[in-house]
Amino acid sequence: MTVFSPRAAAPLARSATRRGTGRRALAAARRTLVVLGLPAVLIAVWWLVSEEYHSFYFPPLREIVETFGPTWFEGRITGDVVPSLTRLLSGYALAVVLGVVLGVLIGSSAKLRAFAEPVLEFFRAIPPPVMVPILMLFFGIGTTMKVIVIATGAVWPILLNTVEGVRGIDPLLRDTARTYRLRPLTRLRTLVLRGASPQIFTGARQALSIAIILMVISEMFAANNGLGFSIVQFQRSFALPEMWTGILLLGLVGVLLSLIFRAVERVVLAWYRGQRQSQRGGNR
Amino acid sequence: MTTATDRPATATRMLSVRGLHKVYESAGRPTEAIRDLTFDIAAGEMVCIVGPSGAGKTTLLRCIAGLLPPTGGDISLEGRPVAGPPKGMAVVFQDYARSLFPWLTVAQNVELPLREKRLPKAERHRLVERSLEAVGLADVPRSYPWQLSGGMQQRVAIARAVAYEPHILMMDEPFAAVDAQTRADLEDLVRDLWHRLGITLLFVTHDIDEAIYLGRRVLVLSGRPTVIMEDVAVDLPDERDQLGTRNLPRFGELRAHVYELVQKAKRGHRPENEPDAGASGAVGKEFPA
Ligand SMILES: Nc1ncnc2c1ncn2[C@@H]1O[C@H](COP(=O)(O)OP(=O)(O)OP(=O)(O)O)[C@@H](O)[C@H]1O
Ligand SMILES: [Mg+2]
């Protein structure tokens, strides 16, 4: 393979690069401002209004922020946050594996699809939280129940999107794989999974928010630790600033997970973005 | 199968198509794409197929490639009936852009079939590099297909087929998207490959000059439902070059003849009233079937 040597061109390009870096830094600063602008305004409004508005149920934001540290950093990280995240990630991972495996099987066979699709649509239409009481009967109130609740709720968008993705793979690409006699495992990895990856990611993104909701709900139903459990406990003991810190923390966890998700997606689907951009006719 | 000596004995039959019939059953209305095709291709031959648009050239190739089950008739390749993509065959599809994996780089696209053949790494890299160089794409191995122009994508598909070193190579209008100069280069590349590797080549094209320049035989197809208008033997010297060959008086005669046939085919003329009705043509019987 050719080894490119960008260093050779460096001296010439350096001044241009410096100017480019400056402009890029400016653009980045502007983007950050746009992204953080609205949150900053909302926080400021909340801060000021809650300071004036003396309500037991809506404590001042200042008080919530002051309570945050003592509430969470003295034992609750390992006691509540870590168990919650473990359940969330286990259930989510189970949903992804299950959804992709079943989705590939169903998407690869027209017969299986015709057979399974109505049933899948029905299950997808059931709001996942109603499954919690039923699953409690079978699996008790332990971690297993919560993982299964999360997995069974989050699996549907992944499953259905994977089916769509596998079905949408270009038939000519399949023919190419056949004429070059790619082995089943290569075909699965290089043709099917990569070909369906844009839809798999779409499903996985929807599944992530469902999984978070189900984690909280299952913990609110029955648990002795976890984020959802803590929030309910605070509410029941009228520790309202603490309850609000729990809600904030949940929001932050959600944002963080979605940022991680997007970073992974950026790398894995770089080809997809590039292809779509070039189809739209060049640079955005 | 046979070790590729300089040129395999012309007597061995590579491909045999007998009474091929293909009807598409889509949306309730059947389309008879191919009525009756019978021909043989010997190992190491280079055969071009021309015919009006919609004549069923792509359909024919897909049947031979084992991608499309025929409605009737038999196809066998290297003595074995075709029932699925056979070993040692490569196809360059007409829709080249859709046949490249958009999530693989150019080099990875070319290398993938070689991996499946379990070639050692060094050998794979040598083949990838050489075939990309042969099609003039040595400088873009790390680009993705969608970063390339249509003609470049087409050449990636050609490089992939070439690197695979098949016994039989089928190309469906492979040079439709490239400029005239590149086209001439690629024609010579294909001729050179054919010479060097002793492969059998089946080449579909719209371009009559190209068909005659490349082929030792030109199969002219009628309009749909398709039969063979004529099997034209190209009796030009084996050493060909772009200027010399195309200026030969015989080249001109052949071109006029094939042009005439294609025009007739377009007007709906069919060789039904000829003695050899519907089956293989009359003029260029090169070897006994
Ligand atoms: N999947 C299909 N379903 C129904 N009819 C089809 C299908 N594919 C091709 N046909 C029909 O079969 C006939 C032959 O098509 P084919 O693509 O083989 O022609 P072609 O000779 O390759 O044409 P071109 O030179 O334009 O590529 C056409 O009339 C076409 O409409
Ligand atoms: Mg065609």
Side-chain angles (χ1 to χ4, degrees):
Chain A
M1 266 192 200
T2 330
V3 177
F4 295 106
S5 162
R7 207 168 296 154
L12 268 178
R14 192 163 295 150
S15 67
T17 311
R18 194 176 297 148
R19 224 175 302 136
T21 314
R23 200 173 315 138
R24 235 173 293 133
L26 215 70
R30 193 175 305 142
R31 256 203 315 277
T32 318
L33 219 69
V34 170
V35 170
L36 295 181
L38 188 56
V41 170
L42 288 179
I43 289 170
V45 170
W46 185 3
W47 189 283
L48 295 174
V49 171
S50 63
E51 204 65 41
E52 298 304 313
Y53 184 82
H54 298 283
S55 154
F56 178 70
Y57 299 107
F58 297 97
L61 182 54
R62 180 183 39 76
E63 200 181 324
I64 296 172
V65 170
E66 283 163 8
T67 326
F68 197 97
T71 307
W72 294 102
F73 297 132
E74 287 163 17
R76 281 190 191 273
I77 290 282
T78 50
D80 290 301
V81 178
V82 169
S84 278
L85 286 181
T86 312
R87 288 164 196 152
L88 172 67
L89 295 181
S90 320
Y92 184 64
L94 201 62
V96 170
V97 172
L98 223 66
V100 171
V101 169
L102 291 178
V104 166
L105 286 177
I106 296 172
S108 303
S109 151
K111 276 200 199 106
L112 200 54
R113 199 158 56 233
F115 182 68
E117 212 135 63
V119 184
L120 296 184
E121 287 297 342
F122 175 76
F123 275 114
R124 182 212 200 15
I126 296 177
V130 306
M131 297 303 289
V132 177
I134 299 162
L135 290 171
M136 262 167 72
L137 290 179
F138 288 106
F139 299 103
I141 59 165
T143 297
T144 318
M145 177 275 279
K146 297 180 188 85
V147 170
I148 290 176
V149 164
I150 294 168
T152 50
V155 74
W156 305 110
I158 303 177
L159 175 50
L160 292 169
N161 277 289
T162 306
V163 171
E164 272 319 296
V166 171
R167 225 163 51 124
I169 293 171
D170 196 315
L172 197 65
L173 219 46
R174 287 184 183 279
D175 288 345
T176 305
R178 282 180 69 200
T179 51
Y180 285 115
R181 299 167 67 91
L182 301 191
R183 280 188 290 271
L185 195 62
T186 315
R187 223 183 282 184
L188 175 68
R189 277 197 331 226
T190 314
L191 175 71
V192 177
L193 288 182
R194 302 280 331 249
S197 58
Q199 285 80 6
I200 293 178
F201 267 87
T202 304
R205 197 179 319 114
Q206 293 169 15
L208 185 60
S209 34
I210 296 178
I212 295 175
I213 293 171
L214 287 176
M215 172 199 81
V216 177
I217 289 181
S218 68
E219 287 174 351
M220 285 176 166
F221 258 95
N224 45 29
N225 62 6
L227 273 168
F229 170 78
S230 303
I231 291 173
V232 171
Q233 282 303 104
F234 291 138
Q235 184 248 353
R236 287 190 184 146
S237 57
F238 295 102
L240 287 184
E242 284 82 354
M243 182 195 82
W244 280 101
T245 62
I247 293 169
L248 276 187
L249 185 60
L250 262 179
L252 290 177
V253 166
V255 168
L256 187 70
L257 288 176
S258 106
L259 283 181
I260 295 173
F261 187 93
R262 266 205 259 172
V264 174
E265 189 180 25
R266 255 188 109 71
V267 175
V268 177
L269 294 188
W271 66 270
Y272 186 62
R273 260 180 307 127
Q275 188 188 31
R276 292 219 326 197
Q277 245 169 56
S278 76
Q279 276 166 358
R280 276 200 303 264
N283 312 320
R284 270 196 270 195
Chain B
M1 272 205 73
T2 27
T3 29
T5 47
D6 234 359
R7 175 70 51 77
T10 334
T12 38
R13 194 186 292 161
M14 184 63 159
L15 174 72
S16 146
V17 176
R18 288 277 162 279
L20 178 67
H21 180 53
K22 177 67 196 177
V23 180
Y24 283 106
E25 295 286 353
S26 61
R29 225 185 83 237
T31 310
E32 187 180 13
I34 295 176
R35 173 154 295 173
D36 184 4
L37 287 181
T38 297
F39 60 89
D40 285 294
I41 292 179
E45 256 198 308
M46 160 104 75
V47 177
C48 292
I49 298 174
V50 297
S53 181
K57 304 181 292 294
T58 301
T59 305
L60 170 64
L61 285 201
R62 291 176 61 81
C63 287
I64 297 173
L67 295 169
L68 200 65
T71 311
D74 300 296
I75 302 173
S76 57
L77 193 71
E78 300 189 273
R80 279 184 298 269
V82 170
K87 233 179 181 157
M89 184 194 68
V91 183
V92 176
F93 291 101
Q94 186 170 9
D95 253 335
Y96 52 88
R98 283 168 48 212
S99 80
L100 298 173
F101 295 92
W103 44 87
L104 299 182
T105 63
V106 166
Q108 286 167 340
N109 261 291
V110 178
E111 194 186 359
L112 183 67
L114 308 181
R115 276 178 190 275
E116 292 303 285
K117 277 170 98 180
R118 297 193 194 279
L119 295 182
K121 194 171 175 183
E123 172 76 358
R124 289 198 314 255
H125 282 184
R126 194 181 62 77
L127 284 169
V128 169
E129 211 168 319
R130 211 185 52 189
S131 62
L132 282 179
E133 197 164 336
V135 297
L137 288 178
D139 52 338
V140 293
R142 286 162 201 226
S143 299
Y144 286 88
W146 37 267
Q147 293 173 317
L148 308 179
S149 71
M152 288 165 94
Q153 292 177 19
Q154 180 65 307
R155 283 184 278 155
V156 176
I158 295 170
R160 180 169 63 185
V162 166
Y164 191 62
E165 298 193 329
H167 300 175
I168 179 164
L169 172 57
M170 302 201 284
M171 305 174 106
D172 197 351
E173 299 185 29
F175 305 153
V178 300
D179 60 286
Q181 185 51 51
T182 314
R183 189 179 187 130
D185 290 345
L186 288 175
E187 284 167 6
D188 288 331
L189 168 76
V190 165
R191 287 269 326 166
D192 178 53
L193 223 90
W194 173 66
H195 260 285
R196 229 164 8 103
L197 300 176
I199 56 179
T200 309
L201 245 155
L202 208 59
F203 192 102
V204 169
T205 175
H206 271 141
D207 185 331
I208 293 165
D209 283 46
E210 183 170 84
I212 295 168
Y213 178 72
L214 285 176
R216 290 211 300 189
R217 264 166 87 195
V218 177
L219 290 180
V220 184
L221 301 185
S222 75
R224 199 163 52 85
T226 307
V227 295
I228 291 178
M229 289 279 285
E230 194 175 313
D231 186 341
V232 181
V234 179
D235 45 3
L236 293 170
D238 219 22
E239 275 310 317
R240 299 189 186 174
D241 72 278
Q242 291 287 352
L243 279 180
T245 306
R246 285 176 197 264
N247 283 331
L248 291 174
R250 181 66 189 144
F251 189 93
E253 286 165 32
L254 284 165
R255 179 211 279 139
H257 181 57
V258 174
Y259 183 82
E260 194 71 19
L261 285 168
V262 173
Q263 285 304 318
K264 273 208 266 183
K266 274 189 188 157
R267 284 196 302 267
H269 180 283
R270 308 178 61 76
E272 227 108 48
N273 46 4
E274 287 169 27
D276 213 10
S280 68
V283 169
K285 273 259 166 62
E286 264 201 323
F287 55 94

